[in-house]
Amino acid sequence: ADQGAKAVENAGGVIEMHHGSHAEKVVYINLVENKTLEPDEDDQRFIVDGWAAGKFGLDVPKFLIAAAATVEMLGGPKKAKIVIPSISPAQIAEALQGRGWDAEIVTDASMAGQLVDVRPEGILKCVDGRGSDNTRMGGPKMPGGIYAIAHNRGVTSIEGLKQITKEVASKGHVPSVHGDHSSDMLGCGFFKLWVTGRFDDMGYPRPQFDADQGAKAVENAGGVIEMHHGSHAEKVVYINLVENKTLEPDEDDQRFIVDGWAAGKFGLDVPKFLIAAAATVEMLGGPKKAKIVIPSISPAQIAEALQGRGWDAEIVTDASMAGQLVDVRPEGILKCVDGRGSDNTRMGGPKMPGGIYAIAHNRGVTSIEGLKQITKEVASKGHVPSVHGDHSSDMLGCGFFKLWVTGRFDDMGYPRPQFDADQGAKA
């Protein structure tokens, strides 16, 4: 524990110290992206931000099983509330069907070879399925690129657009907008609909800039201008809800690609975002056929797996958690799920067992050097990395790390760390 703590600290992470005794009454498994709950030492709860496992490319079922096993081995409550977005994939499909669409739900497993990891060098680009001069692939897709963010938030000024461009970059993506070879910057159908008032009856104010001014502002603020070519021939709309994954356009087999998870990342009104995306396709004469891509493990399956381990598990929506779920903040530490009091004042970060130790554990990373690299990776993705101890056991006060280093996960196939708690914290 000491070695681990030193390693994290040396790589730029934070060491948190907890106090008091464990008295958690419930485990919250939060699947609402870029939201978290905060610990309350007077009303303790374990908080597991399941969405964060996807952000770091972890094996999500293994992550959740390890989290449940940790609570069990520490004698915690076998009672879970699984928090999900208020709008479900089934509701999205139903809403589209109500608009006359053919809509089906498919899992990421059925999309093997098509879904790819989002890459930081890939541009956050339009959903447009045509060919492009862009070679920086692997970024998320939203209608009009970053215009979708401005549109959803009601941002209509050049200055506001520049701020969004910088925000997108700060969150690890390359901001972009596009035109095409026949209409220049008005070649983006989404922007053309917006600037000509086709969204007026949906309550969206028009931008106070034209297509050329918008593109210039994005470029001046550090963004990229993409140019499409060819005619639209999309056959299907993919609405992808698998976090940090995307599909890539293929001009010879066109499809619209809407990364719905990205709306959550930027704090957008997700139902409005999806309705606007559907309306865009309709107004552009596109195909009213959608495939809604979801993770292979569903909230119902998580609840069923926990119930199979003897847990009381229920699914609740984010709407029922009003006042408790808060936006994740970049200054908040990525911290342990531990519900006790703490010397940390940098709240608002995601929660994972043992803080960043959860990432190393899931990936089988056992070296000090590997832990340092994870510390830097977490920082590069917009969070403050941390591990913790407590006031009675120093750096072995993290129950998750203690279970890991003493071999309690051996029978689950997790190799033990090659460092102690102090070394890990220092790293």
Side-chain angles (χ1 to χ4, degrees):
D2 292 337
Q3 293 166 323
K6 287 178 183 176
V8 171
E9 194 171 40
N10 285 345
V14 170
I15 308 305
E16 177 187 29
M17 296 303 286
H18 289 191
H19 56 255
S21 301
H22 282 287
E24 291 89 353
K25 305 178 185 76
V26 64
V27 180
Y28 282 94
I29 299 172
N30 172 38
L31 305 180
V32 183
E33 188 188 355
N34 287 309
K35 297 283 186 178
T36 190
L37 296 97
E38 293 295 29
D40 179 350
E41 62 184 302
D42 298 319
D43 185 16
Q44 291 183 28
R45 54 196 177 183
F46 287 110
I47 302 159
V48 181
D49 284 316
W51 62 265
K55 180 167 187 173
F56 290 98
L58 306 187
D59 182 319
V60 178
K62 281 181 65 178
F63 171 84
L64 294 174
I65 290 168
T70 299
V71 172
E72 293 164 4
M73 289 190 282
L74 294 176
K78 294 174 75 171
K79 179 180 180 181
K81 292 191 176 185
I82 302 160
V83 188
I84 63 171
S86 293
I87 185 167
S88 69
Q91 289 171 313
I92 296 169
E94 186 178 348
L96 289 171
Q97 289 160 354
R99 299 173 73 98
W101 288 55
D102 172 15
E104 64 172 320
I105 296 170
V106 299
T107 68
D108 53 1
S110 72
M111 301 288 294
Q114 296 190 66
L115 276 178
V116 298
D117 291 334
V118 166
R119 297 184 297 134
E121 62 269 26
I123 65 171
L124 190 158
K125 65 180 258 84
C126 187
V127 303
D128 192 314
R130 294 176 293 169
S132 165
D133 63 356
N134 168 55
T135 58
R136 300 167 72 174
M137 292 297 181
K141 320 290 187 294
M142 305 173 82
I146 70 164
Y147 283 144
I149 301 173
H151 180 262
N152 191 273
R153 294 176 179 170
V155 172
T156 61
S157 69
I158 282 289
E159 189 54 40
L161 185 63
K162 288 180 179 178
Q163 289 303 313
I164 288 170
T165 303
K166 294 173 183 175
E167 175 192 352
V168 169
S170 75
K171 291 188 175 179
H173 303 296
V174 179
S176 85
V177 295
H178 81 92
D180 71 16
H181 290 151
S182 64
S183 303
D184 203 43
M185 294 314 304
L186 262 182
C188 173
F190 177 79
F191 184 82
K192 187 173 184 179
L193 292 171
W194 186 21
V195 77
T196 57
R198 297 291 298 279
F199 291 110
D200 286 0
D201 61 354
M202 295 173 67
Y204 291 99
R206 303 185 195 186
Q208 299 167 20
F209 49 84
D210 64 27
D212 290 333
Q213 292 169 323
K216 193 69 176 173
V218 170
E219 193 171 37
N220 286 344
V224 170
I225 308 304
E226 177 186 30
M227 295 303 285
H228 288 191
H229 55 256
S231 300
H232 281 287
E234 292 89 353
K235 305 179 185 73
V236 63
V237 180
Y238 281 94
I239 299 173
N240 172 39
L241 304 180
V242 183
E243 187 187 355
N244 288 307
K245 298 282 188 179
T246 191
L247 295 97
E248 294 295 31
D250 179 350
E251 63 183 301
D252 297 319
D253 186 15
Q254 290 183 32
R255 54 196 178 182
F256 288 111
I257 302 159
V258 181
D259 283 315
W261 61 265
K265 180 166 186 174
F266 290 98
L268 306 188
D269 182 319
V270 178
K272 280 181 64 179
F273 171 84
L274 294 175
I275 290 167
T280 299
V281 173
E282 293 165 2
M283 289 189 283
L284 294 176
K288 295 174 75 170
K289 178 180 180 180
K291 293 190 177 186
I292 302 160
V293 188
I294 64 171
S296 293
I297 183 167
S298 68
Q301 288 171 314
I302 295 169
E304 186 178 345
L306 289 171
Q307 289 159 355
R309 298 174 74 98
W311 288 53
D312 172 16
E314 65 172 318
I315 297 170
V316 299
T317 67
D318 53 1
S320 73
M321 301 288 293
Q324 296 189 67
L325 276 177
V326 298
D327 291 334
V328 166
R329 297 184 297 134
E331 63 269 28
I333 64 171
L334 189 158
K335 65 180 257 87
C336 187
V337 303
D338 192 315
R340 294 177 293 169
S342 163
D343 63 356
N344 168 54
T345 58
R346 300 167 71 174
M347 293 296 182
K351 321 288 187 296
M352 304 173 83
I356 70 164
Y357 282 143
I359 301 172
H361 180 263
N362 190 274
R363 294 177 179 171
V365 172
T366 62
S367 69
I368 283 287
E369 190 53 41
L371 186 63
K372 288 180 179 178
Q373 290 304 314
I374 288 170
T375 303
K376 294 172 183 175
E377 175 192 351
V378 169
S380 74
K381 290 190 175 180
H383 303 294
V384 179
S386 86
V387 295
H388 81 92
D390 70 17
H391 290 152
S392 64
S393 304
D394 202 43
M395 293 316 303
L396 264 180
C398 174
F400 178 80
F401 184 82
K402 188 173 182 178
L403 293 171
W404 186 21
V405 78
T406 57
R408 296 291 298 278
F409 291 110
D410 286 0
D411 61 352
M412 296 173 67
Y414 292 99
R416 301 185 197 187
Q418 299 167 18
F419 49 84
D420 65 27
D422 286 336
Q423 290 170 321
K426 193 66 178 172

